Every structure is written in C-alpha cells, then in structure tokens.
C-alpha cells in the first residue's frame, strides 16, 4: 500500500540503506562460491528474453528489499494507472499510452471516456496502405518515376526511434529503397543526406508531433526548396511530401495535403513514439507485416510487465537494480553494450528514453528530490568498445554497471564470427565480476613490480540479456523492456518521466537569439555579459568570411 512518506523516509528505503552498509563489501567471488547454483537461480526468462542478473552485487535479501520498495512506492498501482489511461503525466495533464499503440485490435483503452484502440488501428491501416503502395512502386513521384529514396525529417523522439529501428532491422528492409534521416539544423545534415539523391525519386516524411520544432521545420523548408528547384512546380509537393504529426493545422499551413498526413495523439510522448505513425519510415523499410511483428513484441513485454510479480518481472528487475547502484552505491552511469552491429544506434536511442524521462529533480508533489535520479546511460556495440573504454570499466575508479545484450543466432552467419562475438560477451561479464587476483597474476610468472597493474579487482556488476535472434518482435521486446525499466525507476523516485521542460527552455531561448544573429546592425543585446560577447564575436567572425 502506497504511503505519502518521502522516499528516503520509507521503511523499505531505510532497510535498504542498512542492508547496503552491511553488504557493500561482499565480493561476487564469495557470492558465487557460497552458492554454486547462483548463475542458474538469479535469472529470469520471459517472452523469449533471458536475463542473467546473477553477476550483480546483491543477495536474495537485497532483492526482497528492492521489491518491498517497489511495493511501498505503489509501483503496481502506477502500472495499472498507466494501462488504464489515467493522466499520469501530471505536469502536462496527459495520459501516457504508448502501450495502446501496440495493443491488439480487440483491446479497449479509454482516454476521457473514448476508446483509443479503433483510432490506433485506423492509423496503422492507413500507414500500411501507404507503405504497401510505396514498396510496390505504385506511389509515383511528380514526374511519374518510382520513389526510391525515403528521407525522414525529424528530431529527438521523431528521429532517434526511426533511425535506431531502421538500423536495427536493416536485414529485414527493402534493399531497393534508400533511407536517410535528417535531424540536425546544421545544414551539413541535410546536404550530406541528399547529395546523391534524385528529387524526382525522393519522398520526404516530415515527422513532428507539434510541427513547430525549429530544426525540423527548417529542414522541411529546405527539403521543399530542394524539391521545387528540381521539379519546378508546387504541385510536386503532394507527391513528394507526407507528414506525421498531431497538428493538422500546421501541416496544412506548410503546404502538405492533410490527406497525406498520418496522425497520432498527445498521449504519445516523443521518446515513446517509434511505434506510432512516427514509425512510418520503419514500416516502409520493413513492410507492414514485420512492423506488426515489432508491435506484437512490444505488446508481449507490456503484458509481462503488467502481470508478472516483480521478482519475476524483467523491466521491474532491471529498474530496481538500477536504483540499487544509482542510489546506494552512488554509481553515476549505466553502460549498455549490445553485441550486435545492427544495434549500433540502440545506446543513443536509450539515452533519450532514459535521461529525458528521468533526468528530473522535482517530485510529483513539487519538492526537490533528496536522492539521485536517472543515471547517465551510454554505450557502444561490442566488441568495438572493448578496444576503447572498457579499460575504465575493468580497472578505473568508477563503478559502472553494464547491460550486455546478445543473440544466439547470427543474421549474417560467417564462419566463426558469431561464436567469437558471443565469447566476448561471456568473457567480459566474467572478467568484470571475478577479476584476477594478485596471486593469479603472480602464478603466471608476472614480475612483482607489474603485479598491481595486472591485477583486476573484479566485483563489477553486469546483466546479460540473451535472445534467440534479433527480429522485429525481439526489437519491440527490448525497447519495451527499457521503457518499463524507466517507468519503474520514475515511479520509485516519484517523478514525472513523461514531461521534458528542460527541452522546452532550450527551444525558447534559441528562438530569441536567432533575430539577434541575423541583424546587420549591432542590436542592443540584453543577455548576460558572456552571451552578449559570444554573439558579438560570432557576428564579427562570420562577417570576415563574407
Ligand atoms: C521527446 C521530446 C523531444 C521531441 C522533439 C521533437 O520526448 O519531446 O525529443 O520528440 O523535440 O518534437 P516534435 O516531434 O514536436 O518535432
């Protein structure tokens, strides 16, 4: 039963603090020595994902206390509230229903008394009809040529998901189509993405929930001009531009026929939108059936999260372990290390999902938090990272919990490559946990002066996530796993993971400076002394280049 006590005064939190003081010195070597079946016991398998969390600095008691904390913080009720469509994004007074985007056709989820599922499926059907025509070469450009290149124009939540999903599922994609993603307002992004494309064969998907975001609208206007320069007729826009947005008025103002628009809703947050119409580029790439499989994967993890007891609940376990290191051990970061080249953009995607969601310091009641919230998430695909930053994870002064992600079957089986790849997952997790003692190093004949350098303390925690194969469904499960881990953490920290006021401030400040940069006379600048000086210096330097 949830109480209104501040988090750090809850009995479960205080019990965890006492437990931490008692167990923080325990070494994974000892924990494994004392329990020969630990590696089989501290695992959890659901919806085709196997989590080995045995190499964490926990005991059975830690887990029990973390689950108590989840219970005391009312996690079960928060989950129910999200799935019910309650307005749990309190600062924006919105429901949070990315779970509705992947619910089956016969489900019912209500927002303000209206069932949203029929609309969700109507949009999916419209996307599927469009994607099918385009993939079949039936959606023609203005000059009658087939569309061969698709450019998604969007930023943040309207870019990171589509890019990540395209890269992750490239092996399922239509190889006769080219996909590009333009997000940065730096003109280089647009220039490089389009330099080898033919406007007569290019379709732009302008993806923006609000259709007012400076970067996206600037890139969309540039795309429009690029298209018109080559095709010479306003009529061409209807064949080369589609929009994904919640804002039909702005879409029409921009000049895109709203018949060529697919919509979504204010209850879909940007960083939770890759499975909404924002996924149109993904659907074109992999086809409607694979997109449906992706949604089914999401849904399977949603149902697991909604129904499984926390001790057997993958996202809850992942979220609680993150809290354990972040709030008790003082670990500042989490490394996500996918051993799959197709997941190369997954860490970047997770950075937004995790940090934009839980990078907050105000509780739902408006108080300043007295504990750490979101860790910094970062990572790179293995094995590349091993030859760069892993040194610090192994022997540096910081504690960095790691999530290793790997698959049993290769999508590109080539000789021994896959076994070599996966041997590194297991070896790294093993080395981090158990290290190498000075005695072991000496026994190898290492000279005494070198022994301290070659000794590995070990006791560095990690999770290993193992799946059969990276499929569209598997990607959906993985993303939903982290979405709900973030939810778990946010519920315990009692913050709103679904707003992003920090992003809004940056958007507003940039709007104020733009005219000051454009002005040719010295405007009366009213910023702080540093900002005023930088603006003046920029103007001078820019003008010398003219
Ligand atoms: C995501 C954020 C943010 C947003 C972008 C793009 O959760 O709100 O990253 O997705 O600022 O916004 P638009 O889709 O409105 O252009």
């Amino acid at each position: 039963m949830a109480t209104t006590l501040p988090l750090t005064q809850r009995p479960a939190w205080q019990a965890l603090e006492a437990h931490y003081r008692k167990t923080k010195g325990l070494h994974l070597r000892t924990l494994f020595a004392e329990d020969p079946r630990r590696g089989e016991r501290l695992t959890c398998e659901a919806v085709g994902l196997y989590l080995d969390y045995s190499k964490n600095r926990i005991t059975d008691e830690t887990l029990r206390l973390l689950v108590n904390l989840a219970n005391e913080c009312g996690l079960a009720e928060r989950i129910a509230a999200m799935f019910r469509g309650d307005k749990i994004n309190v600062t924006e007074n919105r429901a949070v229903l990315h779970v509705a985007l992947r619910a089956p056709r016969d489900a019912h989820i209500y927002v303000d008394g209206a069932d949203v599922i029929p609309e969700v499926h109507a949009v999916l059907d419209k996307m599927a009809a469009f994607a099918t025509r385009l993939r079949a070469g039936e959606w023609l450009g203005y000059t009658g040529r087939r569309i061969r290149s698709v450019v998604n124009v969007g930023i943040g939540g309207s870019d990171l998901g589509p890019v990540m999903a395209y890269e992750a599922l490239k092996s399922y994609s239509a190889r006769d189509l080219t996909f590009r993603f333009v997000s940065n307002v730096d003109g280089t992004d647009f220039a490089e993405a389009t330099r080898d494309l033919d406007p007569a064969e290019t379709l732009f998907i302008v993806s923006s929930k609000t259709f007012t975001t400076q970067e996206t609208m600037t890139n969309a206007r540039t795309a429009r001009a690029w298209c018109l320069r080559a095709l010479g007729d306003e009529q061409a826009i209807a064949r080369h531009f589609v929009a994904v947005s919640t804002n039909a008025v702005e879409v029409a103002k921009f000049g895109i026929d709203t018949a060529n628009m697919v919509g979504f809703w204010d209850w879909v947050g940007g960083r939770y939108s890759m499975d909404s119409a924002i996924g149109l580029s993904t659907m074109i790439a992999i086809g409607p059936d694979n997109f449906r499989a992706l949604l089914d994967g999401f849904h399977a993890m949603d149902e697991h999260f909604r129904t499984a007891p926390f001790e057997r609940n993958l996202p809850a376990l992942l979220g609680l372990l993150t809290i354990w290191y972040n709030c008790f051990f003082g670990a500042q970061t989490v490394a996500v290390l996918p051993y799959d080249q197709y997941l190369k953009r997954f860490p970047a995607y997770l950075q937004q999902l995790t940090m934009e969601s839980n990078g907050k310091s105000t509780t739902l009641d408006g108080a300043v938090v007295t504990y750490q919230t979101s860790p910094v998430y970062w990572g790179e695909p293995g094995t590349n990272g091993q030859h760069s930053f892993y040194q610090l994870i192994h022997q540096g002064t910081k504690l960095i919990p790691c999530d290793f992600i790997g698959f049993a079957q290769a999508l590109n089986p080539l000789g021994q490559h896959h076994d070599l790849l996966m041997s590194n997952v297991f070896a790294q997790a093993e080395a981090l946990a158990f290290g190498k003692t000075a005695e072991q190093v000496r026994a190898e004949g290492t000279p005494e002066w070198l022994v301290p350098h070659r000794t590995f303390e070990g006791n560095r925690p990690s999770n290993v996530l193992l799946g059969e194969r990276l499929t569209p469904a598997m990607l959906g499960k993985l993303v939903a796993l982290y979405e709900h881990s973030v939810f778990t953490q946010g519920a315990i920290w009692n913050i709103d993971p679904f707003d992003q006021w920090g992003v809004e401030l940056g958007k507003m400040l940039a709007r104020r400076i733009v005219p000051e940069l454009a002005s040719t006379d010295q405007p009366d600048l009213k910023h702080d002394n540093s900002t005023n000086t930088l603006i003046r210096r920029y103007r001078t330097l820019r003008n010398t280049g003219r």
Side-chain angles (χ1 to χ4, degrees):
M1 181 65 200
T3 69
T4 52
L5 276 180
L7 179 58
T8 55
Q9 287 172 33
R10 290 183 186 281
W13 183 276
Q14 298 193 338
L16 275 163
E17 274 184 336
H19 175 72
Y20 167 71
R21 282 193 294 272
K22 230 172 51 205
T23 59
K24 65 180 177 199
L26 275 180
H27 200 291
L28 284 165
R29 284 188 208 118
T30 319
L31 292 169
F32 271 85
E34 284 173 355
D35 177 4
R37 305 200 52 174
R38 182 180 169 93
E40 293 155 63
R41 246 176 16 83
L42 299 192
T43 62
C44 180
E45 187 164 17
V47 301
L49 257 181
Y50 178 83
L51 168 68
D52 173 358
Y53 61 94
S54 63
K55 296 194 192 77
N56 279 290
R57 292 169 66 170
I58 56 169
T59 63
D60 291 353
E61 176 69 356
T62 321
L63 218 52
R64 198 182 63 76
L65 294 174
L66 285 168
V67 169
N68 281 353
L69 181 69
N71 290 332
E72 269 185 29
C73 293
L75 177 60
E77 172 46 28
R78 296 251 187 149
I79 295 173
M82 171 168 71
F83 279 84
R84 243 188 346 249
D86 288 8
K87 298 199 170 164
I88 59 168
N89 176 358
V90 289
T91 70
E92 295 181 308
N93 192 31
R94 289 178 181 165
V96 174
L97 274 180
H98 40 281
V99 294
L101 298 169
R102 50 258 193 162
R105 230 173 252 277
D106 58 357
H108 301 282
I109 300 180
Y110 296 87
V111 175
D112 294 327
D115 189 355
V116 297
I117 301 299
E119 291 177 62
V120 165
H121 282 271
V123 168
L124 282 172
D125 292 343
K126 186 169 176 184
M127 289 165 67
F130 179 73
T132 303
R133 279 182 69 192
L134 198 133
R135 285 164 63 86
E138 288 163 11
W139 177 281
L140 301 178
Y142 178 65
T143 63
R145 295 208 338 242
R146 197 188 154 164
I147 295 294
R148 297 191 186 276
S149 307
V150 176
V151 183
N152 186 73
V153 179
I155 196 165
S158 302
D159 167 70
L160 286 160
V163 181
M164 183 278 288
Y166 171 66
E167 292 295 341
L169 300 176
K170 201 182 247 176
S171 109
Y172 301 86
S173 71
R175 300 290 191 159
D176 57 343
L177 292 171
T178 298
F179 290 85
R180 300 275 162 81
F181 300 85
V182 176
S183 55
N184 201 331
V185 75
D186 182 344
T188 296
D189 207 10
F190 181 86
E192 288 293 337
T194 53
R195 62 188 296 280
D196 57 347
L197 300 187
D198 181 345
E201 299 184 344
T202 302
L203 176 88
F204 289 94
I205 304 176
V206 184
S207 296
S208 175
K209 182 171 168 179
T210 54
F211 231 73
T212 56
T213 303
Q214 184 202 56
E215 293 91 329
T216 301
M217 297 331 293
T218 304
N219 279 320
R221 280 191 291 271
T222 300
R224 199 172 190 282
W226 180 83
C227 211
L228 286 179
R229 228 178 2 256
L231 303 177
D233 188 346
E234 282 282 338
Q235 303 289 321
I237 298 302
R239 307 302 307 166
H240 293 270
F241 279 77
V242 296
V244 178
S245 187
T246 56
N247 192 342
V249 175
E250 287 297 326
V251 169
K253 261 199 230 161
F254 180 84
I256 297 179
D257 184 348
T258 46
N260 295 343
M261 166 181 162
V262 264
F264 58 117
W265 309 271
D266 73 353
W267 43 261
V268 183
R271 55 195 172 276
Y272 296 88
S273 66
M274 61 168 277
D275 46 356
S276 71
I278 290 290
L280 182 60
S281 61
T282 315
M283 193 193 269
I284 296 171
I286 64 175
D289 290 346
N290 279 323
F291 195 81
R292 186 67 248 173
L294 172 79
L295 297 184
D296 290 346
F298 271 102
H299 181 66
M301 186 58 80
D302 293 344
E303 282 305 284
H304 166 70
F305 181 54
R306 193 175 67 79
T307 57
F310 296 144
E311 4 344 74
R312 312 287 314 149
N313 189 313
L314 292 172
L317 283 172
L318 221 53
L320 290 170
L321 287 167
T322 306
I323 292 204
W324 177 232
Y325 295 116
N326 185 65
C327 296
F328 296 93
F329 283 82
Q332 295 280 322
T333 82
V334 173
V336 181
L337 308 165
Y339 278 63
D340 191 303
Q341 191 58 23
Y342 284 124
L343 289 181
K344 66 180 180 193
R345 296 288 295 171
F346 192 59
Y349 173 79
L350 283 189
Q351 284 182 347
Q352 185 195 23
L353 176 66
T354 57
M355 297 196 274
E356 200 169 73
S357 294
N358 282 338
K360 314 281 164 68
S361 49
T362 307
T363 68
L364 289 174
D365 321 306
V368 176
V369 297
T370 54
Y371 38 86
Q372 288 289 307
T373 59
S374 180
V376 173
Y377 278 77
W378 60 287
E380 279 288 323
T383 57
N384 293 6
Q386 286 175 213
H387 300 269
S388 107
F389 54 80
Y390 277 39
Q391 166 62 35
L392 182 150
I393 309 181
H394 281 288
Q395 286 190 307
T397 51
K398 294 175 177 57
L399 182 73
I400 302 184
C402 299
D403 288 353
F404 291 97
I405 302 172
F407 303 98
Q409 297 171 12
L411 288 169
N412 295 291
L414 279 179
Q416 227 198 330
H417 281 254
H418 200 67
D419 283 351
L420 290 177
L421 174 74
M422 292 305 292
S423 70
N424 279 282
V425 174
F426 307 133
Q428 289 297 324
E430 185 179 21
L432 287 170
F434 302 105
K436 203 172 194 182
T437 63
E439 293 68 48
Q440 287 172 310
V441 177
R442 271 188 206 105
E444 288 171 353
T446 307
E448 197 53 35
W449 67 270
L450 203 50
V451 169
H453 298 280
R454 300 191 60 177
T455 300
F456 290 71
E457 171 200 7
N459 216 15
R460 305 197 172 212
S462 67
N463 291 308
V464 176
L465 278 160
L466 198 57
E468 191 176 276
R469 193 179 174 86
L470 179 57
T471 59
M474 180 58 76
L475 182 69
K477 290 169 191 176
L478 264 182
V479 175
L481 169 67
Y482 280 94
E483 284 178 351
H484 298 320
S485 164
V486 164
F487 183 91
T488 300
Q489 295 166 47
I492 288 174
W493 291 324
N494 195 31
I495 55 180
D496 185 341
F498 302 107
D499 60 13
Q500 55 282 314
W501 298 105
V503 180
E504 312 302 330
L505 175 67
K507 286 187 179 182
M508 198 194 78
L509 290 180
R511 274 200 290 274
R512 180 176 154 204
I513 293 178
V514 172
E516 295 170 349
L517 296 185
S519 165
T520 46
D521 46 62
Q522 286 295 336
D524 185 15
L525 298 172
K526 294 209 170 55
H527 304 273
D528 58 277
N529 182 244
S530 163
T531 309
N532 289 344
T533 309
L534 284 167
I535 291 173
R536 290 197 187 101
R537 175 57 63 108
Y538 169 77
R539 286 165 50 92
T540 309
L541 283 174
R542 183 188 54 190
N543 294 342
T544 56
R546 282 190 172 157

